[in-house]
Amino acid sequence: SVVDSVSIDIVYPKVTSVTPMPGNISWLDREISIQFSQKMIGGSFDSQSISFTSNYSGEVGAVYLYIDSTQTVHISMSSGFASLDTVLITLNAPDISNDYGYALDGDGDGEGGDEYAFEYVVGMTGDYDGDQSINGADLSMFISAYEQNDFRYEMGPYLGEIPHLNVQPDSLFNIEDVMSFVVMGNWYLENYGLSMNSIAQSGPALDFEVSRD
């Protein structure tokens, strides 16, 4: 705009980074951070302004926390996304704006009011090391987490159908976690071969005992 021969250039807010980067992510990823080029209205971030579209993950229960000092919104999800799902995340520009009320410039054309979207492809539940297989290495990591009660790596209970399991962490390791690993391991072996047998044994044997609650 021009006021008494003085030109005022309006600079609309943009997305500067997304973590994890769009593309392949682990089934264990349960937090997304989106940073903006300007300070935003923190209260504008909710399920209306940020939408999730997927085939298997269903309704995503998320908590939104905006940090003004870093111009970043952190999205925490209690259960993450379903295994082998594709998730489209859309920031709806009319609902997201900076402190001055200027709407998000999602496509970077210098004009506000455009949505910003990015996509994740979720890895297999049970693939702890992210090598796109379920094998002896993953079994070893699961047993270690089970024995140490490392609840970051829970596998049960779950919702959905094999192989699109959506783990619902309950801060317990029990038969539900074991069965989740078993059904995903069996599905992988039936569809992609005996990869578990291709892992060389090293060190002492693992003792693994499961008891029902």
Side-chain angles (χ1 to χ4, degrees):
S1 61
V2 177
V3 179
D4 294 335
S5 299
V6 176
S7 177
I8 301 175
D9 292 328
I10 297 176
V11 179
Y12 295 90
K14 302 176 183 178
V15 172
T16 58
S17 68
V18 176
T19 305
M21 293 180 59
N24 295 329
I25 62 170
S26 169
W27 62 281
L28 293 166
D29 286 321
R30 296 182 182 125
E31 181 166 313
I32 300 168
S33 298
I34 306 171
Q35 188 173 41
F36 299 88
S37 60
Q38 300 175 17
K39 294 184 183 299
M40 310 296 286
I41 298 176
S44 66
F45 297 107
D46 55 26
S47 59
Q48 299 299 316
S49 61
I50 301 179
S51 61
F52 297 82
T53 305
S54 66
N55 292 320
Y56 304 103
S57 295
E59 184 175 351
V60 176
V63 175
Y64 303 86
L65 176 63
Y66 176 72
I67 306 298
D68 197 51
S69 60
T70 60
Q71 302 169 181
T72 302
V73 61
H74 300 278
I75 307 170
S76 299
M77 300 162 290
S78 59
S79 60
F81 302 121
S83 172
L84 299 177
D85 200 1
T86 298
V87 182
L88 178 69
I89 301 172
T90 305
L91 279 63
N92 302 305
D95 299 319
I96 297 176
S97 58
N98 67 8
D99 281 347
Y100 300 103
Y102 296 129
L104 179 68
D105 176 9
D107 61 5
D109 66 353
E111 296 291 334
D114 321 298
E115 68 180 26
Y116 180 90
F118 56 97
E119 190 173 84
Y120 288 127
V121 178
V122 187
M124 284 184 293
T125 299
D127 177 15
Y128 284 99
D129 57 10
D131 66 354
Q132 300 182 24
S133 66
I134 298 177
N135 52 37
D138 300 296
L139 175 60
S140 179
M141 294 176 70
F142 172 73
I143 293 173
S144 177
Y146 192 105
E147 293 177 339
Q148 298 175 32
N149 281 327
D150 191 341
F151 299 128
R152 295 174 299 169
Y153 302 116
E154 286 185 78
M155 285 192 63
Y158 66 83
L159 299 176
E161 301 294 330
I162 303 168
H164 305 291
L165 307 188
N166 191 341
V167 176
Q168 309 290 303
D170 58 0
S171 296
L172 290 172
F173 266 114
N174 52 30
I175 190 64
E176 292 182 299
D177 300 271
V178 175
M179 292 310 301
S180 295
F181 190 90
V182 168
V183 297
M184 281 302 297
N186 285 342
W187 174 85
Y188 183 81
L189 294 178
E190 289 173 4
N191 287 275
Y192 297 102
L194 299 174
S195 294
M196 283 189 170
N197 292 338
S198 67
I199 304 300
Q201 290 283 346
S202 62
L206 290 170
D207 292 324
F208 184 41
E209 180 178 346
V210 178
S211 59
R212 292 182 180 270
D213 291 343

